[in-house]
Amino acid sequence: MYVAVKGGERAIEQSWDLLAKARRGNPDVPALTVTQIREQMRLAVSRVMSEGALYDETLAALAIKQAAGDLVEAIFLLRAYRTTLPRLGTTTPIDTAAMRLSRRISATFKDVPGGQVLGATYDYTQRLLDFALLAEGETSDAPLPGDMTNVSTSAHSRVATEAPAATGNASDIPDVPPIAATTRITDIMKRDGLLEALSTDSSDPEPHDLVHSPLFTPASRTARLQNLARGDEGFLLALGYSTQRGYGNDHPFAGEIRLGHVSLEIEPEELGFAIDIGEIAVTECQMVTQFGGNQETPPQFTQGYGLAFGHNERKAMAMSLVDRALRTKELGDEANSPAQQQEFVLYHSDNVEASGFVQHLKLPHYVDFQAELELVRRLRAEHAAKYGTPTDGSRADEGNANDTGTEGTRTEGSITAPAVQNTQEAA
C-alpha cells in the first residue's frame, strides 16, 4: 500500500542538479564524449545494447554517459527508450553461418576448417594493470588484429587488402580482412550423427514475441532464448557456473564461439523477395554436452545456444549454459537444480525488473511500516502477558550489565532514554 507524498518538489529538483554535477565531475577535466564511450568502451556498449534489447551503439553510449557508468541504469534507460519506438517490420532470421568473422575459436577440435582465429581478446593477457595507460595524450592509429573499423562493411564479401608500404616502423600492424564464411563445428558433428539434429521446417510455430506476449511457464524454447538474450549477464553467469559445480550434472564444451558481422534482410510484401538493409555485430556460442540417451534416442551430444549483440562472449557462453540446463526435462532428465527451473530462471533474469523491485524499497512505505510497527507492539504485549517479559526494551538480566554497556547509554543497569512511542516523538 502506498500513499501520495506531498511536498519535496524543490528537494527533488535540487537532487537532479546535484546528480548532473556529480555526473560531470571536476569541470577542469575534459568532458567524456559519447563518441569516446562508443569507440573506447565497446564491451560496455555491447552489454547495454544486448540487455537493453536495442542495437544502437550511439544510444547505448549515451545511456552509459547519462548513467555515469552504471550499466544496469544504462540498460534501464535504453529499454525505456525502446518502448517508444514503432515496429516498422521484421527481419528474416539472420544466417550466422555466413557471418563475416573477426574471431572464431573452438575448444573441441584443435584443427578446424578455417582455422582458429583468436582476434582481439583478453583471454591470453596476464590481467596485470598496464600503468602505461595512465600516460595522457598517448594515441595510436594502428588497428588491432581483427579490427573491423577500416574494413568494408559489405556483407558476404571477403575484402582483399594490399600489403602496407614499408615505412621502416616495425610496430605498424596491417589491417586484417574478415575471414570468409566457414563451416560450423556443430555441422561437422551433425554430419557424423554425434550431435542432436535441430532441423527447422514449415511446421515450426512462429517464434514467441515477448514484446507483445507475456511470459508464461512452461515456456517454449524461443521464449526462453528471448528472455535469456536480454537477461542480466551476472545472473546468467552465476547460474551457468552452478551447472559446472554440480548443480546440473553437466560437463559442457565450447563447440564454437563466433564474433563477427551478419547481414540483416527484410522481405517487403510489395517486392516479394528479401533485401539487405545493413549488418550488425553479434557473438554466437554453441555449447555441446554429453547425453546418455534413452529408449528413443541413442547417446549423443546435445547443445545449448547463446547469441548477444556486439562483442559479448561471457554473456553468450552463460546464456548457452543456461539454455542447455533449461532443456533438462525435454531430454527426459529430472530438473532438480536452480538453473533447470524455468520459473526461477526466467522470472528473475531481467535486471531492469529486478533493479526496479529491489530499489523500490527506497520509496516511502510509511503506512506499511506503521502497520508492521503496531503489529509488533501488539505481539510484544501478548508475549509479555504470557511469559512475563518486559515490553519497554529492557531485559530481565540488565541488572548484571556493566555501567557502560554496549547497547545504549546505561546508568546502574537501566537505559536512560525512554522507548520511542511513535514516529512523531522520534521526529
Side-chain angles (χ1 to χ4, degrees):
M1 178 178 179
Y2 301 97
V3 294
V5 181
K6 298 181 180 180
E9 182 177 355
R10 290 185 57 191
I12 293 175
E13 292 177 350
Q14 291 175 351
S15 175
W16 291 346
D17 294 337
L18 290 174
L19 177 62
K21 292 179 180 179
R23 179 173 56 241
R24 177 58 180 89
N26 188 346
D28 295 333
V29 178
L32 190 64
T33 66
V34 171
T35 302
Q36 289 174 320
I37 297 174
R38 185 188 65 208
E39 298 299 326
Q40 300 177 31
M41 302 182 69
R42 301 194 63 81
L43 299 182
V45 169
S46 294
R47 177 179 178 183
V48 172
M49 290 194 304
S50 184
E51 298 176 27
L54 178 64
Y55 191 96
D56 191 309
E57 294 179 341
T58 300
L59 292 181
L62 173 62
I64 293 173
K65 179 177 180 178
Q66 182 176 336
D70 184 342
L71 296 189
V72 174
E73 180 70 17
I75 292 164
F76 198 161
L77 292 171
L78 196 64
R79 187 88 65 85
Y81 175 76
R82 180 183 183 272
T83 62
T84 68
L85 301 177
R87 176 175 291 187
L88 302 177
T90 303
T91 66
T92 60
I94 61 175
D95 184 9
T96 56
M99 183 184 296
R100 185 163 58 83
L101 297 169
S102 56
R103 172 167 162 79
R104 185 265 191 133
I105 59 171
S106 172
T108 53
F109 298 100
K110 177 182 178 182
D111 298 318
V112 295
Q116 306 260 12
V117 182
L118 300 185
T121 176
Y122 286 101
D123 290 349
Y124 309 103
T125 62
Q126 295 180 324
R127 267 71 175 194
L128 301 176
L129 284 176
D130 185 0
F131 292 98
L133 298 178
L134 291 174
E136 296 181 357
E138 181 175 301
T139 60
S140 175
D141 296 329
L144 294 173
D147 185 6
M148 311 303 295
T149 303
N150 299 321
V151 179
S152 171
T153 58
S154 176
H156 311 295
S157 63
R158 182 180 179 90
V159 181
T161 56
E162 298 180 356
T167 60
N169 188 348
S171 64
D172 288 345
I173 304 176
D175 289 345
V176 177
I179 299 96
T182 57
T183 304
R184 285 197 185 97
I185 304 301
T186 53
D187 293 337
I188 300 176
M189 298 178 66
K190 288 179 183 177
R191 183 191 61 193
D192 297 335
L194 298 174
L195 184 67
E196 62 176 335
L198 298 175
S199 59
T200 58
D201 53 43
S202 58
S203 64
D204 283 344
E206 285 292 320
H208 187 91
D209 188 352
L210 285 181
V211 176
H212 291 158
S213 302
L215 176 68
F216 295 104
T217 56
S220 65
R221 194 180 183 202
T222 59
R224 299 198 304 261
L225 288 173
Q226 286 182 62
N227 180 282
L228 297 178
R230 62 184 189 180
D232 181 72
E233 178 182 321
F235 179 76
L236 298 184
L237 184 65
L239 288 177
Y241 179 44
S242 72
T243 65
Q244 297 177 265
R245 296 194 66 250
Y247 295 90
N249 196 27
D250 289 337
H251 189 290
F253 297 89
E256 186 170 2
I257 299 174
R258 290 179 167 221
L259 167 65
H261 291 73
V262 294
S263 66
L264 293 179
E265 295 181 344
I266 61 173
E267 189 172 331
E269 295 181 0
E270 60 272 20
L271 294 181
F273 57 87
I275 58 174
D276 193 322
I277 61 172
E279 62 179 12
I280 60 174
V282 297
T283 302
E284 180 186 51
C285 176
Q286 290 177 294
M287 290 282 181
V288 295
T289 304
Q290 180 183 346
F291 175 59
N294 50 42
Q295 293 181 353
E296 300 177 356
T297 306
Q300 59 184 356
F301 287 98
T302 56
Q303 57 183 315
Y305 187 77
L307 185 76
F309 286 152
H311 191 170
N312 216 338
E313 291 181 32
R314 187 167 51 233
K315 167 66 179 293
M317 294 179 69
M319 176 180 170
S320 62
L321 289 173
V322 177
D323 172 52
R324 172 57 182 82
L326 292 176
R327 299 183 59 209
T328 299
K329 284 188 176 181
E330 299 174 5
L331 297 172
D333 294 333
E334 294 185 5
N336 299 319
S337 301
Q340 299 170 341
Q341 307 291 332
Q342 284 196 30
E343 185 173 358
F344 176 78
V345 174
L346 301 180
Y347 286 148
H348 300 91
S349 62
D350 193 301
N351 57 27
V352 173
E353 183 175 346
S355 175
F357 205 76
V358 169
Q359 294 197 84
H360 99 281
L361 296 175
K362 296 185 291 186
L363 299 177
H365 287 68
Y366 306 139
V367 175
D368 286 352
F369 182 72
Q370 286 299 319
E372 295 275 349
L373 192 62
E374 292 301 324
L375 176 60
V376 170
R377 283 173 175 161
R378 186 171 69 250
L379 293 176
R380 286 175 58 84
E382 294 174 357
H383 189 277
K386 184 176 181 180
Y387 298 105
T389 56
T391 60
D392 59 354
S394 61
R395 299 181 310 182
D397 59 347
E398 281 183 352
N400 297 328
N402 295 328
D403 291 347
T404 57
T406 58
E407 296 190 14
T409 302
R410 295 195 178 104
T411 303
E412 296 297 327
S414 62
I415 300 178
T416 58
V420 176
Q421 298 299 319
N422 55 51
T423 54
Q424 292 181 351
E425 289 183 14

